[in-house]
Amino acid sequence: MSEIELYELWCKNADEDPDLQSELKSISGDNAAINDRFYRDLEFGTGGLRGVIGAGTNRMNIYTIRRATQGLANYVNQEYTNPSVAIAYDSRIKSDVFAKNAAAVLAANGIKVYIYNELMPTPMLSFAVRELKCQAGIVVTASHNPAKYNGYKVYGDDGCQITLKGAEIVLEKINELDMFNDYKIASFDEKLSDGTIEYISQNVIDKYFESVIAQGINTDLCASSGLKVVYTPLNGAGNKPVRTILSKIGINDVTVVEEQEMPDGNFTTCPYPNPEIREALELGLKKCEEVKPDLLLATDPDCDRVGIAVPSDNGFVLFSGNEVGALLLEYICTQRIKNGTMPENPVAVKTIVTTDIINEIGKAYNVEIIDVLTGFKFIGEQIGFLEDKGEENRYIFGFEESYGYLSGGYVRDKDAVNASMLICEMAAYYRTQGISLLQARENLYKKYGVYYHTLRCFTFEGESGMIKMNDIMTNLRNNPPAQINGMKVVKFEDYKTGISKDLTNNSETQLTLPKSNVLVFQLEGGNKAIVRPSGTEPKIKTYYTTKAPTNEECIALEAELSESFSKLFL
């Protein structure tokens, strides 16, 4: 069916949401706009759906949600007897609408649904799946994307995002379905009345907070530490949970950024609500000038990631996800050893694009470091492997460079509530020792050397952009450079083919991780460039690591490296 035929079909059938009809009428005769909305189905990737909210097969709307949920329902009914599914949603536009539509489809298919009665962080969905012994979970969120986006993430019975195999089966089920005619849907209110749909109880929420607090190490000193915090939930789901957990451990001097306190899917004060970028934190930083805190905390809209800024002589400095993760692992190791709570043969897990300083920390404290593919579900998977062996207590920490952290196995996804608590506890502890977080970072680099990491993204919109991205990856894979910015490539790793080439001796070895469209260029001197297409956005992401005696030298080297590398595909 052509794009125009699909457009006409939607004009006729997409009549349950007035916003969709208005949009469809507004693009009448605009072939480019029609093509963009209908040239493909919104892709159900390894984590689910994510896209711009609006009309069409390439958009997030009640019909793409219903079709995807029917595919999920067919999958869980095939795989399980009397299955149940947990659902959560964040503050984004139509998140509650999409969540209730998903619940209504599942209920119509005879599946028990547990749904939160208000917006909740993504990790609380993972917790609910495990606590309620569900066979799957859904969270409606687009994480840190701009306001025009929403998404639909699917979880398995272990509380991790759905496996690659599971996602493939769900996709097959979805592809068998017509957009308008093949899904079942019931009345949400009627299914709520008969018990097929049930709101998640306060008891489950309380157990989640108990599980988070159990991850604390020195929480008893927080109340008397005098720690002062400014916090912004960036108009997302973190407001209540983060403030609750900080209060429970005695961090009460918390000033919330008023303009970003309440849920607002338009994100009017931070169009790109990503705690990785300074622009999203501008109001928080302005509040810091007034309050003079020890720490600025910022969680993203679904509260699975957290960023921080700390005071310096030249205003507040943002720490990277790599820096916070390294500081937390160092803190956890030193304090658990000091308190006698470090398990035998401890394990920490990181993604392949995360800082190599973790390997040095692991050596210092005899912690096994496990590398996994990008995506926190692979960290959660490692916790599951340990659990299967009865060794879950060996896991002490996992993190990825994109501001996601987790210190316990009670959930299987990154948790900004847990991370906010740990960061504040760490800052409180150092404060009692007369050490700022800035000084703690300097001490870390003095001990292990200076590692500097950056992420640079290149956006390729639309159908032509997808073709361009594929061409770039194919060219780099088939014609890898021998040197970048004058530095020899000493090892080339292709996670799609599963081959690692040591260019110093012309040998090849097989990579043990699952296949993924990632290329790694290890350079002389401990420097590195990694490139991969995003799984959720029309972007190619490049990760750079530079290593040098000083931070200034690292920054200068990174600028040269990134400029040289980007010329290879722009």
Side-chain angles (χ1 to χ4, degrees):
M1 193 176 291
S2 71
E3 287 84 357
I4 295 297
E5 289 173 324
L6 281 170
Y7 167 73
E8 292 172 349
L9 183 69
W10 276 65
C11 287
K12 179 180 179 181
N13 291 284
D15 56 1
E16 292 184 57
D17 184 344
D19 292 340
L20 301 184
Q21 282 297 309
S22 297
E23 181 180 345
L24 290 166
K25 290 176 182 177
S26 72
I27 62 172
S28 177
D30 186 340
N31 289 339
I34 291 171
N35 180 72
D36 184 47
R37 287 162 174 80
F38 292 99
Y39 79 90
R40 65 167 188 165
D41 286 354
L42 195 63
E43 184 178 355
F44 188 92
T46 56
L49 303 171
R50 187 176 298 186
V52 174
I53 302 163
T57 57
N58 188 33
R59 292 290 189 269
M60 288 291 297
N61 51 67
I62 59 173
Y63 300 104
T64 51
I65 289 289
R66 291 173 181 177
R67 181 173 182 244
T69 307
Q70 184 64 54
L72 177 63
N74 292 347
Y75 166 72
V76 295
N77 274 330
Q78 172 185 291
E79 299 292 325
Y80 303 96
T81 302
N82 298 320
S84 62
V85 176
I87 299 178
Y89 57 93
D90 69 3
S91 63
R92 287 185 173 273
I93 296 168
K94 294 187 183 291
S95 277
D96 56 340
V97 174
F98 294 162
K100 288 184 176 181
N101 269 263
V105 170
L106 292 168
N109 282 272
I111 297 169
K112 174 74 176 184
V113 178
Y114 297 97
I115 186 170
Y116 283 106
N117 65 359
E118 63 176 323
L119 71 167
M120 289 290 177
T122 287
M124 293 181 74
L125 181 279
S126 177
F127 184 83
V129 169
R130 294 173 57 77
E131 179 67 22
L132 298 170
K133 296 179 172 53
C134 295
Q135 283 63 56
I138 298 167
V139 60
V140 180
T141 178
S143 188
H144 57 278
N145 286 80
K148 66 180 181 178
Y149 285 86
N150 211 328
Y152 174 100
K153 292 165 67 174
V154 178
Y155 288 71
D157 59 7
D158 58 354
C160 286
Q161 286 189 45
I162 193 168
T163 63
L164 298 174
K165 181 180 179 181
E168 289 175 0
I169 298 173
V170 173
L171 178 58
E172 290 175 6
K173 300 291 186 185
I174 293 171
N175 288 339
E176 294 170 357
L177 304 172
D178 178 80
M179 184 66 71
F180 296 109
N181 299 314
D182 290 342
Y183 61 79
K184 301 176 184 177
I185 189 163
S187 162
F188 179 90
D189 290 336
E190 288 180 7
K191 291 300 179 180
L192 188 64
S193 296
D194 71 20
T196 307
I197 298 174
E198 180 180 331
Y199 284 125
I200 294 172
S201 71
Q202 185 63 41
N203 181 54
V204 172
I205 296 170
D206 291 341
K207 285 186 177 180
Y208 165 79
F209 285 122
E210 291 169 8
S211 299
V212 174
I213 289 174
Q215 309 311 313
I217 303 169
N218 293 313
T219 52
D220 56 328
L221 59 75
C222 291
S224 60
S225 68
L227 189 75
K228 184 184 291 188
V229 177
V230 167
Y231 170 57
T232 172
L234 297 179
N235 301 116
N239 184 35
K240 288 183 179 181
V242 170
R243 294 167 75 174
T244 296
I245 205 69
L246 295 186
S247 176
K248 285 180 179 291
I249 64 169
I251 303 290
N252 293 310
D253 194 347
V254 180
T255 301
V256 179
V257 178
E258 185 176 353
E259 300 92 331
Q260 297 174 337
E261 178 179 5
M262 303 308 293
D264 179 5
N266 292 300
F267 306 114
T268 52
T269 63
C270 52
Y272 198 70
N274 183 350
E276 295 182 63
I277 62 174
R278 192 176 188 92
E279 288 79 3
L281 306 187
E282 287 298 337
L283 283 178
L285 294 168
K286 185 178 179 181
K287 180 61 69 172
C288 287
E289 294 174 6
E290 173 190 333
V291 175
K292 302 291 191 293
D294 300 288
L295 176 68
L296 168 66
L297 280 177
T299 53
D300 67 343
D302 67 324
C303 195
D304 61 354
R305 303 188 309 137
V306 58
I308 71 169
V310 302
S312 73
D313 293 337
N314 299 309
F316 274 70
V317 176
L318 274 63
F319 278 16
S320 71
N322 280 313
E323 290 171 331
V324 173
L327 283 167
L328 284 172
L329 181 59
E330 175 80 2
Y331 172 75
I332 289 168
C333 289
T334 58
Q335 296 307 300
R336 291 194 66 169
I337 290 172
K338 177 183 175 182
N339 295 348
T341 59
M342 183 69 103
E344 290 186 21
N345 305 314
V347 169
V349 189
K350 74 176 187 71
T351 62
I352 59 175
V353 298
T354 297
T355 177
D356 290 334
I357 200 173
I358 296 304
N359 298 321
E360 301 304 316
I361 297 173
K363 291 175 186 176
Y365 299 106
N366 295 314
V367 176
E368 179 185 354
I369 305 299
I370 298 176
D371 277 297
V372 296
L373 292 177
T374 304
F376 214 91
K377 66 182 175 183
F378 296 112
I379 295 176
E381 183 179 52
Q382 291 297 322
I383 304 173
F385 292 155
L386 291 170
E387 185 181 49
D388 291 342
K389 297 186 291 183
E391 300 175 358
E392 184 183 346
N393 70 314
R394 290 178 58 201
Y395 171 81
I396 61 169
F397 191 57
F399 87 101
E400 58 187 4
E401 48 72 41
S402 56
Y403 293 54
Y405 320 96
L406 178 66
S407 66
Y410 61 99
V411 297
R412 299 296 161 83
D413 207 344
K414 50 190 176 287
D415 186 354
V417 181
N418 165 256
S420 295
M421 181 193 75
L422 283 177
I423 290 166
C424 287
E425 181 197 300
M426 175 175 67
Y429 170 79
Y430 284 134
R431 195 177 197 278
T432 65
Q433 305 298 306
I435 301 171
S436 69
L437 285 179
L438 198 64
Q439 291 168 320
R441 185 181 70 172
E442 293 309 308
N443 292 341
L444 191 77
Y445 285 141
K446 285 178 183 177
K447 185 174 181 180
Y448 301 110
V450 180
Y451 290 74
Y452 184 70
H453 306 272
T454 55
L455 165 63
R456 298 179 184 268
C457 298
F458 302 89
T459 300
F460 302 87
E461 297 282 4
E463 184 176 13
S464 61
M466 291 180 64
I467 294 171
K468 176 68 172 175
M469 287 170 60
N470 289 332
D471 288 346
I472 289 169
M473 294 301 296
T474 299
N475 184 55
L476 284 173
R477 177 168 285 112
N478 295 336
N479 304 289
Q483 61 85 27
I484 304 172
N485 191 43
M487 292 179 285
K488 290 181 181 178
V489 177
V490 296
K491 184 179 286 187
F492 172 60
E493 297 174 327
D494 184 347
Y495 282 83
K496 190 172 185 178
T497 62
I499 294 175
S500 174
K501 296 181 180 180
D502 188 332
L503 303 181
T504 61
N505 57 20
N506 293 318
S507 63
E508 289 188 6
T509 56
Q510 197 71 28
L511 295 166
T512 58
L513 295 181
K515 299 292 191 292
S516 183
N517 195 9
V518 180
L519 302 174
V520 179
F521 301 88
Q522 294 193 22
L523 311 175
E524 56 187 336
N527 303 292
K528 187 186 295 184
I530 302 175
V531 59
R532 72 175 184 91
S534 170
T536 56
E537 302 171 272
K539 293 179 178 179
I540 281 184
K541 295 186 173 185
T542 54
Y543 303 81
Y544 300 107
T545 296
T546 51
K547 189 179 178 184
T550 68
N551 196 55
E552 290 75 19
E553 290 174 274
C554 281
I555 292 172
L557 183 58
E558 187 279 336
E560 296 174 2
L561 175 60
S562 62
E563 181 181 6
S564 179
F565 189 72
S566 64
K567 288 178 180 178
L568 296 175
F569 58 85
L570 291 181

